[in-house]
Amino acid sequence: MNSRPRQIQFLEADEVFAHLHGRPEGLSSVEVGERLRHLGRNTFEVPDRTRWLRSLLRQFSNFFTILLLTSALICFIAHRINPGEGMNVLGWAILGVALLNALFSFFQEYRAERAMAALKAYLPQMVEVRRQNEVVQVAAAEVVPGDILLLSEGNRITADARVIRAEGLLVNNAPLTGESAPSRLVADPVSTRLEESANIVFAGASVLRGSGEAVVFATGLRTEFGKLAHLSQSVRRTDSPLERETSRMVRILTVIASCMGFSFFMYGMLIGRPLWVNLVFMMGIIVANVPEGLLPTFTLSLAMGSLRMASKNVLVKSLNAVEALGAVHVICSDKTGTLTLNQLSLTGIVDPLSGTPLPPGERKLLLAAALAASEVRLTRDSWLGDPLDREVALAYGGLDEVSTFLEQSLRFFPFDLDKKRSAGITLLDGRPVFAVKGAFEALRPLLGGVGFAAAGGTGGDTYQEASPAILAKVEKVVAAIAGQGHRVIAVASRALTEDEASRTARSTEEGGLQERLEQSLILHGLLVLEDPVRPEVPKAVAKCRAAGIRVILITGDHPRTAWAVARKCGIVSEEAAEGGILTGTELAGLTGLELQEKIAGGTGVFARTTPDQKLKIVAALKDMELVVAMTGDGVNDAPALKAADVGIAMGMQGTDVARESAQIILLDDNFASIVDGVEEGRTVYENIRKFTCYVLASNIPEMLPYLLYILFPVPLALGVIHILSIDLGTDIVPSMGLGREPPERDVMDWPPRTERQALLSPDLLVRSYLFLGLMEGLWSLFLFFLVLIEGGWRYGMELAPTDPVHRSATGIALAAVLLMQIGNLLGRRSRLGSGLDRGLLANPLILIGICIQVVFSWAILYWPPIQEVMGTGPVPLSIYGLAWCGVVLLFGADYLRKRISGKTAERPVSTSP
């Protein structure tokens, strides 16, 4: 059954059902279950048994992992040349580090992918199908051959299917064929190849316009799209700018380490130091400078940020969107469903000339005309379709009454975004009537009269010719209603002659037919609809304003409606003049530069816009060097969503195509959730800066001992094993803790960062290396030499690493670095605060990290098994207590720096912790 019926495009509709063992009313649940068991789920996933092995091997191609492996190889070669110097032990240690680092990176990548897979499960694709004569929504994976798909604008097709009904059906097959031109589909049999047939919809395609029905004949890997699934699954996610910047930072640090190591190796050879001594030194410099745990911690921070965003109803489809959302300068928001509740309620049906409610009889006639121009589908106990169409159906009557009326429908013309109206032909009192509903300005040129006429004709009691004066009066009523923030829909109709009705029924023409019918229409009245502003939106907009983020409203509604909603939301002030609004007509006449000038001059509301104009607005904002977030829900919003730096689609009301094009999906369609996402994005970026600063600070106390060792006749304070115990031991959990810090209280009071504010900024390097790192290095070396001198060592004396005095001095030097990293960790938690004010219990990983550092600093001094492994020895408790003083010293000095810089910093976001 799921093997491709080669001749299905040749068949009539009834033959299609027979061929696929289906029926017009749809399959039963038993049949669906049997076909799922026999043919499998409708998914395109190809099992890849070697995927994780390839992922593990890829970790060894990392830039600094290759450097570590090369260093280990040099150690093994040195051991062969000069055995007995312990170079093989050092080589195994470095090799173990490379392996552990690769495993850690692999584990974090695995966690990140699992996190993204969990997020995708939040919003499975749903499709409408007819089963047992009822319209139901099912997961796309549950579609089987024989199912009847209900197609509407914005749908993404999930299986190959034969069209059996088409109403202006236009699809985009670009994901499959690469052809950008849309294809118009028909329901009639055709005599072309299957791939070229105009009555076939393919999986992966999307519906651009119109509606229809199609019978599924191929699912999953048996579809044309499924055959290409392995290609799409082999495409690797591209790195975000922040990830590339971090990788660049690691490469720079590694190059610096290599150059420093090689330079001092050559210097050691020139002054006559033994080869093995110079190799140990070179390895130490390299290992001290390579931030082994930084990149996997970075990936984990983004993954955890994406999960936290999901808890705030912001679903990210790629990790780069986490950081990108935090950098936006402008949010271009739709109105309906984003700023408003998308709970349309029909609050009035009014006379177009007076604005007063219509009497019951005329009200019913108007609703009948409006319903004729609507498309709704009946489920068990409710209606599916556009919110406006559903509201019209509910106002007309009960389910049975509406169903009876819809059975008399002869033709439907779907809503056209360019025309701003929809239309339909139905029977009223046995006579064919052509009805239209849409924006008044779209219907105005088509009107021949205003009021009601007997049987839909002309000459009724309330009928008036559509003179300029009459139309101006209607315009005034529309503007007054729209000025209150209401949505206004005009409804008009005209009776068709028998000849017109007959020709219309036989015609397969779409646009031209509708245009010929749209003449001498009679405007019956106005539908007044209210969609309340979400109560949390004004506060969210104010939060954006405080954060330096501008909110722009872009809508297809009436200018007065748009302005009223913008004022309620706080996008424009109550006192602002309406000069800050542009209509689509005005926008069409502006050049890109003129549009930029308008935006810079304060224009913040765009009304009666088209999707193409959304794209124009995005381009203008990006030309102004602003990071732009754009919301959208329709198929025609896809280009603007892709063009924006951050495309945000609606999860509840959005179309499949919009969700495919966006980087972020709002699960609740709420503007306030965007602001929560911006806050989380900023937090993720700041957390990355926090743990980067924390990790780099320990590089200086790791390098200083080697510089002293090569330049002066002094013992080496720290060996490679000690450096690795910090970088891949005690620093890992605190770094992860900093990556999971909650937002700071004033994170939304900072202006957006600019593209010039790099992650590895000069102020971060100075703070890490020349302030925090230098303080740690000097204090640890002070304690190192204090223990040496008290043990009898004097300047220039040779001291073996196994000497008890040297072991004790090494132990206290390492313990001092570990303890001072606690002060560094606490200070990094807050940009200007102490860090203690955030509460130690608020972040368990921070508390665990501190415990690890305290326990390990004690163990290397006083626990024999660790002493043996680390080559350390005990010191008097008074000396250990002195090492603890370093925590207070660093923490206090750092807090003093914050207080001073906090008074002078002009841009808080550039003052990293």
Side-chain angles (χ1 to χ4, degrees), residues 145 167 310 426 601 653:
E167 298 283 355
T426 191
Q653 299 295 330

Side-chain angles (χ1 to χ4, degrees), residues 299-316:
T299 303
L300 178 64
S301 180
L302 288 177
M304 293 302 100
S306 66
L307 288 175
R308 289 195 299 272
M309 282 186 172
S311 69
K312 298 178 179 180
N313 293 312
V314 180
L315 171 61
V316 294

